[in-house]
């Protein structure tokens, strides 16, 4: 980060905090003489759950009702204090109003929780105590749920895992969430990090027999420059004391514009270079670029590409002593070429110490999001001992995204595609680590790439809940339910090319994160680009791909639990659960990815538009460019008439995982407050779970004679099962009425992602990679220990410190190995019609179980209302937490190289701070969230790079509200006040920029009514 950016960030943060402080005098004048609300007393405990929609009250101040943000904090604190396990909660400030606009963003205030952001900077998923989203389970109204989204490849592509994307759900349909960091035997398995419970409101949660509330927001982003609506409503009606109905609905529409520099990868120049053939001077030496005229290396005259070089189909490319290819002269300078070859790097090869971005490019993403969700709950309470409810929930998240890129494609192509070996280098400079500082090149192929993706994520759930107390000592409760998460994706990619351009420059000297790029041509002129089939000599003229995919996860759950209070404050609890998860993935692709010639009379000028805003939003370093208009393209080429295929042509995917879990547990709960001189609360038990899974997936094989396509999919099936015993115990000792010590131990496990279990193998011929999954992967298992000390030193106040340790016994890694295509195990017929040879080397990636390692850390949490201050200052308060985590995982980088590094997704430090003011009319708060840099992949998948990482970030948000009267409230919110960016880098030492995006600040004005 530059000093200027740092100073700007610190100034904005300081301004946000100071703004809260200087507001006090004005508030004091307005509230003088009025009654100042007092915080609720959290010192008394109750076995009953706290109502998340109502404020707590004190016996000595029964006439004072605390509402709003302060009440939300008080209720959450009471819940935390009464639990035996380590659980942190967030509850609604008022009926139908969650404290934040995104559930994941709310959880940043919980110690140990770190947020990962997606498109437009919105919170997407969380990691807890260093363990990423794949290790966090989410339950909705008691049932495990998975929500799926699709994203750009840099953000994980189409979801195939078990992680939960919070972006798909609006906050307005939930009344409370809790993060369970330690497990009890009665909580089903599957979480290595935490279990998050989301709870929708019920009719008898409300103190009034009839409730009607709603909120209307207008949202504006300073990059998209569009105003969008966000609406929600809730209505609840109790019919006497026995029956109630509650319904809620929420709708939002949001436009996102995001600008970025993207490299896709950063690799040494040797990756896409050309080896001198046997029998020539310097045979076997890889020459990364087209050599200068008359070039000598190691005392021998060398031309690369060699004169007369022909592609595998026999077509010459036109290389001779003066030309790299036809119409593409050798313009490399000997000084620049010698500079490249003098740097050997870690691989020991000449040129291996110069690292270039594989696809240096500006990127623009425009998308429209629509989110619709609702709940419906019927609740029947025929008596004090019986509670039966039927809960329904629906959510639909619909996205129409258009991404455009402008690539320097040569740096990501080998000679088989007339790529980097046909490029001349005139000037180049790298730093001591080999990272590019600046360079000037000729013979560069440019590509304008358009990716249009339309996806819809739909979630449905219905569950029946029963809770009946047969007597004061016997209780039975359980649920039966079904939910389904479905993701439909339609992604179209079209590219147009301008080949062998001259005067291409890339320069990082002004900005280490975003280079200044010059293209040597008018990038907005469609007449300079081509679209059509590749030429016989290997010249590409655009690209076409389209896939249509549906992922479905259907879960069914039946659970029954019983409690027997065998003695006062001693309860035996037993239960059983049967669950099924069925994951299916179906994808069809175009039968051919070869661009066809445009219809007669159709030109690129009639199919293109200009992507604008690049320069103005990326510091003037990158340029606007021509790009395909997707709708014009579809109509002009008749894309709807193109042939799609899957099994018969070995494209897309066809697979699934069918899981069945049968589990049972036994647990005791106790409290010695009334039987011993000390108050020790706790639970101890064991859970047994039997997992049976059947998987099937596609393996590419040669097609039989007479088939339309050279290859096809053969479906491979694998079945297996395994068992786990998972003991656990939680203890809470009331050392004094205000001081609680906690300790927990447990054995936990987390299952592999669905995509990793499908038996499949495939190859990407464009970037020369192959990927294989592994249906025999074992779960990740760990033994955990937690200890905490909590001091409730004043009303509604807390200081706590917690230590946690996890001995992760095993881990799942994707290991990489360089293998000739003929040795991968896929049919050679895949190479038909390409410029590749069987001896060409591919990077093969496989999922494997590897050794784990220890994870340890501590977290500190403070909650402090300033009630000890005089006058209006007592209405202020603060929250703060800090978490430090360390882990050591032994990663397999290559067959001969390993590396010890932190767990992927683990930020070594995270912190959050909130300063707030609240009285009976006015409320304002500002929150600062810090997340240290974290690894996103080890190994990186890149050559000679150990990892990829997400840079550190600081996000500042603020909100304020004013009660016009007891029914109407005005709300103002702003997020990302400091205009923080999202930055990805590759390699721990070099930290080359991989992705730097800007998504701007978001403002909201709202009105809330409640009757």
């Amino acid at each position: 980060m530059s000093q200027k950016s740092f100073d700007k960030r610190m100034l904005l943060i300081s301004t946000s905090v100071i703004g809260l402080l200087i507001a006090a005098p004005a508030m004091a004048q307005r509230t003088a003489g009025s009654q100042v609300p007092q915080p609720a007393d959290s010192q008394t405990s109750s076995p009953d759950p706290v109502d998340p929609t109502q404020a707590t009250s004190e016996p000595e101040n029964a006439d004072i009702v605390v509402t709003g943000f302060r009440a939300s904090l008080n209720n959450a604190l009471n819940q935390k204090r009464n639990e035996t396990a380590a659980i942190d909660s967030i509850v609604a400030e008022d009926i139908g109003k969650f404290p934040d606009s995104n559930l994941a963003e709310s959880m940043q205030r919980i110690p140990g929780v770190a947020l990962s952001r997606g498109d437009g900077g919105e919170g997407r998923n969380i990691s807890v105590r260093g363990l990423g989203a794949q290790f966090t389970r989410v339950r909705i109204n008691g049932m495990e749920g998975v929500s799926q989204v699709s994203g750009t490849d840099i953000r994980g592509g189409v979801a195939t895992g078990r992680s939960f994307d919070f972006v798909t759900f609006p906050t307005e349909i939930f009344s409370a969430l809790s993060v369970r960091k330690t497990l009890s035997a009665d909580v089903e398995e599957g979480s290595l990090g935490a279990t998050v419970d989301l709870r929708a409101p019920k009719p008898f949660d409300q103190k009034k027999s009839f409730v009607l509330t709603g909120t209307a927001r207008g949202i504006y982003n300073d990059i998209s420059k569009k105003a969008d609506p966000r609406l929600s409503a809730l209505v609840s009606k109790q019919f006497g004391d026995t029956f109630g109905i509650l319904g809620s609905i929420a709708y939002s529409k949001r436009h996102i514009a995001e600008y970025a520099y993207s490299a896709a990868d950063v690799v040494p120049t040797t990756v896409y270079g050309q080896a001198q053939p046997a029998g020539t001077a310097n045979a076997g030496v890889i020459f990364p670029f087209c050599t200068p005229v008359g070039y000598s290396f190691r005392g021998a005259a060398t031309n690369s590409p060699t004169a007369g070089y022909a592609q595998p189909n026999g077509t010459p490319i036109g290389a001779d002593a003066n030309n790299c290819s036809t119409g593409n002269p050798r313009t490399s300078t000997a000084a620049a070429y010698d500079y490249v070859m003098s740097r050997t790097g870690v691989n020991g090869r000449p040129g291996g110490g110069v690292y270039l971005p594989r696809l240096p490019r500006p990127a623009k993403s425009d998308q429209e999001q629509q989110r619709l969700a609702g709940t419906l709950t019927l609740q029947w309470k025929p008596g004090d001992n019986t509670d039966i409810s039927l809960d329904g929930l629906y959510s639909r998240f619909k996205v129409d995204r258009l991404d455009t890129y402008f690539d320097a494609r040569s740096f990501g192509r080998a000679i088989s595609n007339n790529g980097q070996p046909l490029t001349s280098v005139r000037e180049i400079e790298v730093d001591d680590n080999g990272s590019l500082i600046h360079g000037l090149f000729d013979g560069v192929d440019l590509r304008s790439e358009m990716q249009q993706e339309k996806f819809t994520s739909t979630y449905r759930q219905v569950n029946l809940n029963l809770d009946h107390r047969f007597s004061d000592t016997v209780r039975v409760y359980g649920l039966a339910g079904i939910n389904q998460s479905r993701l439909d994706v339609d992604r179209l990619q079209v590219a147009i090319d301008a080949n062998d351009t001259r005067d291409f420059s890339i320069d990082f000297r002004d900005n280490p994160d975003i280079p200044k790029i010059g293209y040597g041509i008018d990038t907005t002129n469609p007449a300079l680009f081509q679209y059509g089939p590749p030429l016989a000599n290997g010249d590409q003229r655009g690209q076409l791909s389209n896939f249509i995919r549906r992922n479905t996860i259907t879960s069914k759950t039946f659970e029954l639990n019983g409690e027997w209070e065998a003695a006062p404050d001693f309860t035996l609890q037993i239960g059983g659960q049967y669950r099924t998860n069925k994951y299916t993935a179906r994808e069809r692709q175009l039968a051919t990815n070869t661009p066809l010639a445009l219809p007669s009379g159709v030109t690129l000028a009639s199919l293109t538009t200009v992507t604008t805003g690049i320069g103005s939003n990326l510091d003037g370093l990158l340029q606007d460019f021509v790009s395909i208009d997707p709708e014009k393209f579809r109509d002009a080429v008749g894309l709807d008439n193109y042939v799609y295929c899957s099994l018969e042509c070995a494209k897309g995917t066809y697979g699934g995982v069918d899981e069945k879990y049968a589990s049972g547990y036994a647990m005791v709960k106790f409290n010695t407050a009334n039987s011993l001189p000390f108050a020790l609360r706790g639970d101890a038990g064991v859970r047994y779970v039997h997992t049976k899974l059947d998987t099937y997936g596609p393996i590419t094989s040669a097609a039989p004679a007479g088939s339309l396509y050279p290859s096809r999919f053969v479906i491979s099936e694998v079945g297996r099962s395994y068992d786990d015993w998972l003991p656990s115990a939680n203890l809470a000792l009331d050392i004094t009425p205000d001081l609680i010590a906690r300790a927990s131990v447990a054995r936990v496990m987390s299952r592999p992602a669905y995509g990793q279990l499908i038996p499949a193998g495939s190859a990407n011929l464009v970037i020369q990679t192959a990927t294989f999954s592994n249906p025999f992967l074992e779960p990740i298992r760990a033994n955990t220990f937690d200890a905490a000390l909590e001091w409730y030193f004043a009303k509604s106040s807390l200081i706590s410190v917690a230590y946690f340790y996890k001995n992760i016994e095993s881990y799942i890694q994707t290991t990489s190995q360089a293998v000739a295509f003929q040795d991968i195990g896929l049919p050679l017929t895949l190479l038909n019609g390409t410029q590749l040879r069987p001896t060409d080397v591919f990077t093969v990636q496989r999922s494997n179980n590897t050794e784990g390692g220890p994870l340890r850390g501590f977290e500190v949490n403070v909650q402090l209302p300033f009630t000890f201050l005089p006058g209006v200052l007592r209405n202020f308060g603060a929250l703060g937490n800090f978490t430090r985590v360390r882990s050591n995982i032994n990663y397999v980088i290559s067959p001969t190289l390993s590396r010890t590094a932190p767990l992927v997704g683990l930020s070594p430090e995270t912190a959050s701070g909130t300063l707030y003011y609240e009285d009976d009319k006015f409320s304002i708060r500002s929150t600062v969230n810090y997340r240290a840099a974290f690894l996103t992949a080890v190994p990186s998948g890149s050559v000679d790079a150990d990892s990829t990482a997400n840079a550190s970030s600081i996000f500042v948000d603020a909100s304020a509200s004013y009660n016009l009267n007891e029914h109407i409230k005005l709300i103002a919110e702003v997020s990302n006040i400091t205009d923080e960016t999202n930055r990805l880098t590759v390699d721990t030492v070099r930290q080359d920029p991989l992705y730097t995006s800007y998504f701007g600040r978001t403002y909201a004005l709202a009105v809330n009514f409640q009757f």
Side-chain angles (χ1 to χ4, degrees):
M1 183 196 313
S2 67
Q3 183 63 41
K4 180 179 178 181
S5 299
F6 179 83
D7 293 342
K8 178 182 177 183
R9 178 178 295 171
M10 291 301 103
L11 175 62
L12 287 167
I13 294 173
S14 301
T15 302
S16 175
V17 174
I18 292 172
L20 291 172
L21 295 174
I22 63 177
M27 298 173 195
Q29 182 176 0
R30 182 173 56 78
T31 59
S34 63
Q35 185 179 41
V36 178
Q38 303 296 316
D41 186 357
S42 63
Q43 304 305 302
T44 58
S45 62
S46 169
D48 297 325
V50 178
D51 184 347
T53 64
Q54 298 298 322
T56 56
S57 60
E58 302 178 51
E60 66 270 26
N61 293 311
D63 57 326
I64 298 175
V65 178
V66 182
T67 61
F69 184 66
R70 189 187 298 270
S72 170
L73 298 178
N74 292 348
N75 290 332
L77 197 65
N78 286 341
Q79 290 187 22
K80 178 180 180 67
R81 182 171 187 171
N82 293 330
E83 294 285 354
T84 56
I87 301 177
D88 291 284
S89 302
I90 297 176
V91 298
E93 299 180 27
D94 297 300
I95 300 171
K97 185 184 184 304
F98 215 72
D100 301 273
S101 59
N102 180 282
L103 291 168
E105 292 170 5
S106 292
M107 284 185 277
Q108 290 182 109
R109 294 201 304 271
I110 292 177
V113 175
L115 177 66
S116 294
R117 295 178 182 267
D119 296 334
E122 188 170 4
R124 180 172 173 179
N125 46 48
I126 63 168
S127 68
V128 181
R129 291 180 167 178
L131 293 163
Q134 70 271 31
F135 302 119
T136 300
R137 292 180 61 258
V138 175
R139 300 191 301 184
I140 302 175
N141 292 335
M143 281 190 64
E144 180 181 14
V146 175
S147 71
Q148 309 172 81
V149 301
S150 179
T152 57
D153 292 340
I154 200 76
R155 287 186 173 142
V158 179
T160 60
R162 301 176 190 267
S163 60
F164 191 92
D165 284 286
F166 290 92
V167 70
T168 60
F169 285 92
T171 62
E172 291 91 342
I173 64 172
F174 297 105
S175 60
L177 68 80
S178 62
V179 178
R180 178 185 293 266
K181 301 174 186 175
T182 64
L183 294 185
S184 300
D186 61 335
V187 178
E188 61 265 38
E189 79 298 331
S191 165
L192 202 67
T195 298
V196 176
D197 279 297
L198 304 179
R199 182 176 179 271
K202 295 188 175 185
F204 285 98
D205 290 343
Q206 322 307 323
K207 296 302 182 184
K208 298 179 181 178
S209 62
F210 177 77
V211 173
L212 174 63
T213 181
T215 303
R217 274 185 175 84
I219 300 174
Y220 178 83
N221 179 268
D222 61 6
I223 288 186
S224 68
K225 300 188 184 306
K226 291 185 178 180
D228 297 313
R230 179 168 179 164
L231 309 171
S232 64
L234 178 148
V235 60
S236 175
K237 173 62 176 175
Q238 299 173 11
F239 298 90
D241 297 328
T242 61
F243 183 73
I245 183 170
L246 183 147
S248 69
I249 189 170
Y251 170 80
S252 65
K253 186 175 183 179
R254 186 183 180 195
H255 291 87
I256 293 175
E258 191 168 349
Y259 294 86
Y261 163 73
S262 172
D265 202 352
V266 179
V267 295
T269 61
T270 51
V271 169
Y272 295 108
Q274 170 74 353
Q276 283 293 96
T280 63
N282 296 307
V285 175
I286 295 176
F287 288 86
F289 302 108
C290 180
T291 53
V293 175
Y295 184 65
S296 292
F297 182 72
R298 294 175 178 171
T302 302
N303 276 339
S304 179
T306 58
Y309 176 86
Q311 293 287 4
N313 63 3
T315 303
I317 65 172
D320 57 33
N322 295 305
N323 295 279
C324 309
S325 59
T326 302
N328 178 24
R330 298 178 184 270
T331 60
S332 290
T333 64
Y337 215 101
D338 286 340
Y339 180 85
V340 172
M341 300 298 284
S342 69
R343 304 184 68 93
T344 56
V346 297
N347 59 30
R349 293 177 173 176
V354 173
Y355 296 87
L356 299 181
R358 187 170 72 85
L359 298 175
R361 57 189 182 179
K364 180 183 180 182
S365 178
D366 279 304
Q367 64 177 275
E368 179 182 287
Q369 299 179 349
Q370 293 188 67
R371 188 163 43 199
L372 174 66
T375 66
L376 179 64
T377 297
L378 307 177
Q379 189 173 12
W380 181 43
K381 300 184 70 172
D384 294 338
N385 295 326
T386 304
D387 189 341
I388 301 173
S389 64
L390 181 67
D391 299 319
L393 184 145
Y394 172 84
S395 177
R396 187 194 68 194
F397 182 59
K398 188 175 182 180
V399 174
D400 188 345
R401 186 179 67 236
L402 179 65
D403 298 329
T404 50
Y405 312 90
F406 198 77
D407 313 336
R409 203 70 175 179
S410 288
F411 301 111
R413 288 175 173 169
I415 187 120
S416 59
N417 287 309
N418 283 359
Q420 185 178 291
L422 306 189
T423 298
S424 295
V425 54
R426 289 161 49 191
E427 298 176 11
I428 194 167
E429 181 184 4
V430 299
D431 64 18
D432 292 341
N433 295 319
S435 299
L436 182 66
I437 296 176
H438 72 93
L440 179 62
F441 307 88
D442 289 332
V444 176
D445 298 340
L446 303 178
R447 168 168 285 183
S448 173
E449 183 179 352
M450 178 278 298
Q451 177 177 290
Q452 183 192 48
E453 180 170 276
K454 299 181 179 182
F455 76 82
T456 302
S457 177
T458 307
Y459 185 89
R460 301 176 177 90
Q461 177 171 312
V462 176
N463 55 290
L464 177 67
N465 305 275
L466 168 67
D467 190 337
H468 179 70
R469 187 173 291 277
F470 290 93
S471 66
D472 292 341
T473 60
V474 178
R475 174 190 175 210
V476 173
Y477 60 97
L479 66 84
I482 181 172
N483 61 40
Q484 183 184 80
S485 172
R486 192 174 73 189
L487 175 64
D488 291 291
V489 183
D490 185 343
R491 180 185 292 181
L492 170 68
Q493 292 176 282
V494 185
I496 55 178
D497 288 351
N499 294 326
D500 297 334
T501 63
R502 307 177 64 80
D503 298 317
F504 174 85
S505 62
I506 180 168
D507 192 339
F508 284 95
R509 286 175 290 191
D510 291 339
N511 188 326
D513 295 322
I514 303 177
K516 183 176 183 179
I517 299 181
Y519 298 96
I521 64 170
D522 179 0
T523 57
T524 64
N525 184 359
L528 301 179
F529 292 81
Q530 303 176 69
Y531 178 82
L535 301 180
N537 69 352
D539 278 349
Q540 302 291 304
R541 297 191 300 162
Q543 180 187 26
L544 171 65
S545 67
N546 188 199
F547 71 75
I548 301 171
R549 181 171 182 137
R550 170 171 287 184
N551 289 355
T552 304
I553 303 173
T554 303
S555 300
K556 300 176 183 178
T557 300
F558 176 78
E559 178 181 318
L560 187 63
N561 306 275
E563 286 184 359
W564 173 44
E565 189 175 0
D569 297 323
F570 184 87
T571 301
L572 173 65
Q573 182 174 326
I574 59 173
Q577 185 184 71
Y578 181 77
R579 289 184 293 144
T580 64
N581 284 353
K582 186 175 183 180
Y583 170 84
T584 59
R586 302 288 186 269
E587 179 181 301
R588 297 181 298 122
Q589 294 186 6
L590 286 175
T592 176
N593 295 118
T594 301
L596 304 179
L598 292 175
S600 177
V602 177
T603 66
L604 286 181
S606 64
L607 298 179
T608 55
T609 184
V610 174
T611 295
T612 60
I614 299 294
S616 59
N617 286 283
L618 293 176
D619 300 333
L621 299 172
L622 300 170
Q623 302 176 23
D624 296 346
F625 54 88
V626 65
S627 54
I628 288 287
D629 183 299
E631 302 308 326
K632 292 179 180 178
F633 177 84
R634 289 177 185 271
D635 293 340
V637 305
L639 190 63
D640 291 341
N641 297 320
Y642 279 39
V643 176
Y644 290 78
C645 61
S646 178
L647 292 176
E648 66 275 27
C649 66
K651 289 191 174 184
T653 192
Y654 186 99
V657 179
D658 191 357
E659 295 176 316
K660 297 179 176 65
Y661 318 115
S663 63
Y665 74 92
M667 184 176 76
V668 295
K669 299 187 293 185
F670 55 87
N671 188 338
T672 67
N674 298 318
S675 57
L676 294 176
F678 55 88
L680 178 66
R681 297 174 283 123
D683 61 69
V686 63
R687 187 178 193 89
Y688 166 77
V689 57
H690 173 76
T691 302
K692 183 179 185 302
L693 60 90
D694 295 288
T695 66
Y696 62 95
I699 302 294
T700 305
S701 64
S707 298
L708 291 176
Y709 307 102
S711 305
R712 66 172 181 173
F713 279 148
V714 174
I715 300 303
S716 173
E717 297 181 357
V718 176
R720 56 189 294 256
S721 62
Y722 51 87
D723 302 280
D724 286 275
W725 289 91
L726 306 171
S728 61
N730 296 277
L731 300 175
L733 176 64
D734 295 330
I735 301 174
T736 72
D738 300 325
L739 188 64
I740 300 176
R742 299 182 186 273
S744 301
V745 294
R747 181 167 177 80
V748 297
M749 55 94 81
S750 180
R751 297 182 175 89
Y754 293 116
Q756 294 175 315
L757 291 172
I758 291 177
S762 62
N764 187 320
L765 304 182
V766 176
I767 59 176
Q768 296 182 203
T769 62
T771 303
F772 292 85
S773 54
N774 186 352
F776 295 98
L777 288 173
E778 286 288 318
I780 298 175
R781 298 179 174 94
N783 296 317
T784 70
F785 170 75
D786 296 78
L789 192 63
E790 300 169 0
W791 182 28
Y792 299 84
F793 59 93
K795 296 177 181 179
S796 307
S797 303
L798 169 68
I799 295 177
S800 68
V801 59
Y803 170 82
F804 50 90
Y805 174 84
K806 299 179 188 293
N807 179 26
I808 303 173
E809 296 177 351
S810 64
Y811 192 61
I812 296 174
Q813 296 181 41
T814 300
T815 56
S816 298
Q817 186 175 3
V819 180
F821 185 84
Q822 62 191 11
D823 299 323
I824 288 176
L826 297 177
L828 297 181
T829 53
L830 288 178
L831 304 184
N832 293 348
T834 74
Q835 303 296 332
L836 296 170
R837 292 180 170 91
T839 55
D840 285 343
V841 174
F842 276 56
T843 300
V844 180
Q845 298 180 327
R846 300 178 188 271
S847 298
N848 294 294
N849 282 108
T850 59
E851 291 185 3
L855 179 149
R856 57 176 59 86
F858 70 88
E859 60 190 31
V860 179
N861 185 28
V862 177
Q863 180 170 320
L864 179 63
F866 296 165
T867 52
F868 54 87
L869 295 177
V872 73
L873 294 178
R874 67 187 290 113
N875 293 333
F876 281 93
L879 317 172
N881 66 73
F882 172 80
T883 303
R884 182 182 186 273
V885 189
R886 296 291 186 270
S887 69
N888 293 296
I889 301 294
N890 186 46
Y891 293 96
V892 179
I893 305 299
S894 71
T896 59
L897 180 66
S898 63
R899 175 196 173 204
T900 300
L903 196 68
V904 167
L906 181 149
S907 290
E909 290 88 25
T910 57
S912 175
T914 299
L915 181 64
Y916 66 90
Y917 173 93
E918 187 170 71
D919 60 32
D920 58 343
K921 286 286 188 179
F922 183 72
S923 175
I924 185 171
R925 65 180 181 269
S926 181
T927 299
V928 180
N929 288 288
Y930 167 75
R931 183 175 187 181
F934 59 94
L935 300 176
T936 57
V938 181
S940 65
S942 303
V943 177
D944 295 343
D946 58 4
S947 61
T948 57
N950 205 120
S952 62
S953 61
I954 298 177
F955 282 86
V956 183
D957 306 316
S959 65
S961 63
Y962 181 79
N963 298 321
L964 290 178
N965 52 49
E966 62 177 324
H967 300 297
I968 300 176
K969 177 189 295 184
L970 303 179
I971 303 168
E973 301 165 331
V974 57
S975 59
N976 194 20
I977 293 174
T978 56
D979 198 18
E980 179 64 282
T981 61
N982 186 28
R983 295 175 292 132
L984 305 179
T985 62
V986 62
D987 195 71
T988 303
V989 175
R990 300 195 316 268
Q991 297 187 12
D992 290 324
L994 199 60
Y995 185 76
T996 303
S997 69
Y998 294 79
F999 39 81
R1001 304 174 181 87
T1002 300
Y1003 306 87
L1005 294 175
V1007 57
N1008 169 262
F1009 66 87
Q1010 180 176 318
F1011 298 95

